[in-house]
Structures are given as structure tokens and as C-alpha cells.
Amino acid sequence: MTALLTASDFAPHDALAAVLLDHATEGDDGSHDLAHIHRVFRNALKIQAGEGGDAEILAAAVLLHDCVAVEKSSPLRSQASRLAAEKASGILAALGWPKERIEAVAHAILTHSFSANIKPETLEAKMLQDADRLDAIGMVGVARCFYIAGRMGSGLYHPGDPSAEQRPLDDRSYAIDHFPAKLLKLSDGFQTATGRKLAEERHERLNLFLTLFRDEI
């Protein structure tokens, strides 16, 4: 993947990407790989174009938001964004970034995660959270959902009650349960006007997929 995506693919922040890409990802999770970073980067550019803010802080936060890999099934999952924020702070400090800008990047990374459940306070943090969550919904979100389910050894759906009408949702055991448990809730929590607008269409795609999936089973 690093041969397919280079710093030039992160223009106009290619100079920043050139020094940060080597730190951007770790592990072998294809749902949080460099392609994911690139999609979030493109989402962030769209949102920042409508919202403003500090483009360099946002770009650095995007490039480093998944610099620590923690599996979805790990008990440390809720700590992933904190660990990434701490690692990112060290990377930027070694590059000579001022303390206040490092803290701004770290806050954005810390608060981007759904599982961390920490409210973003700055515009850049809100934009990163929106950009990352856009990649969790729509057709890419569907693909990532089933990819992660496969890594976790989950089934596709509960054959006796796929819509969870008579049982509690269990998205650890059944991939399709992750839609009502999390994915279909994400569009209500977008932080920026631009992000909310982009999320609307992807949310409808999730609903369409779920309808068609249930029709086939």
C-alpha cells in the first residue's frame, strides 16, 4: 500500500505527509490502513473547505489519528485514541512543533474515536471526527463492517432473528447487528454543517443496503 500511495497523494499537504506517512499506520488491519487514512484525508479536505480552521493541524491529525493499532475486539479499544494522541505528540515534538500546536493535534486525535466518547472542543477536532465517521458509513462503511467482522470471527447475521426483534443486538457475534447498534446512529452525531450534509447521503446508502440484504435472506 505504501508503494501505491505516496506523499504526493496528500497534496496540498504533501510536504507534511512526507515526514508523517511512515508513522501513520501499524499492524495489518485493512480497515485502518493507509487507504483509510487517504479517504479520511479527502473527507477532511471537503469539510475544511466549507468550515475553515487550521488546515495544517487538521492534516497532521488526519495523518496520525490511527498511528497506534488496537483491534476492535481488544479490551484496550477504548484507549486507542489516547494512545495515538500520545504517540503523535512525541512524533511532532521530535519534529520541533510548538507545544500549543501539538496539543491541538493531540486533542483532535483523542476525541475522534467513537469508543473514546470524548467531546471534541475545537473546530479541527470536530472536522477530524466527521471525516473519520464518514468512512464508517456509506458503501465503504459496509465493506469495513464486514471486513472487521471477518477478522473477529463474527457471523453475518442471526439466522433465526436477523432483525433482532426478539433478542438483544449482538454486533460481536453478528455483523449485521452493527448497523442498528452503531452505524445507523452515526449520522446524528456529526459536528459540522458540512459533515452533516455529506453524511446524509451515506446514511441513506446504509439503509438501502440493509433493506436489500434483509430481502435476500
Side-chain angles (χ1 to χ4, degrees), residues 78-196:
S78 64
Q79 299 299 313
S81 64
R82 178 184 62 80
L83 295 171
E86 291 173 356
K87 182 177 178 179
S89 295
I91 292 168
L92 296 176
L95 293 173
W97 276 48
K99 180 181 178 181
E100 64 275 9
R101 295 184 70 75
I102 293 174
E103 290 175 349
V105 172
H107 173 72
I109 294 172
L110 175 66
T111 60
H112 87 275
S113 171
F114 183 88
S115 57
N117 195 29
I118 303 172
K119 182 179 179 180
E121 300 292 344
T122 66
L123 176 57
E124 292 75 27
K126 292 175 181 178
M127 290 191 290
L128 172 60
Q129 187 182 97
D130 282 2
D132 187 59
R133 291 189 180 183
L134 278 173
D135 204 51
I137 57 178
M139 290 298 97
V140 170
V142 171
R144 293 178 74 210
C145 175
F146 285 100
Y147 173 89
I148 293 169
R151 286 177 69 91
M152 293 169 54
S154 305
L156 294 181
Y157 60 93
H158 187 293
D161 187 5
S163 298
E165 295 176 357
Q166 304 296 327
R167 63 177 178 84
L169 291 169
D170 181 7
D171 59 352
R172 176 61 184 83
S173 298
Y174 308 109
I176 207 68
D177 281 21
H178 197 55
F179 285 71
K182 177 183 176 181
L183 301 185
L184 290 171
K185 298 177 180 178
L186 289 179
S187 64
D188 289 335
F190 275 68
Q191 300 289 328
T192 68
T194 307
R196 285 192 294 274

Side-chain angles (χ1 to χ4, degrees), residues 41-63:
F41 177 79
R42 290 187 297 173
N43 292 339
L45 287 182
K46 294 175 184 177
I47 295 170
Q48 196 265 330
E51 301 292 329
D54 190 309
E56 184 184 47
I57 286 175
L58 178 60
V62 168
L63 288 163

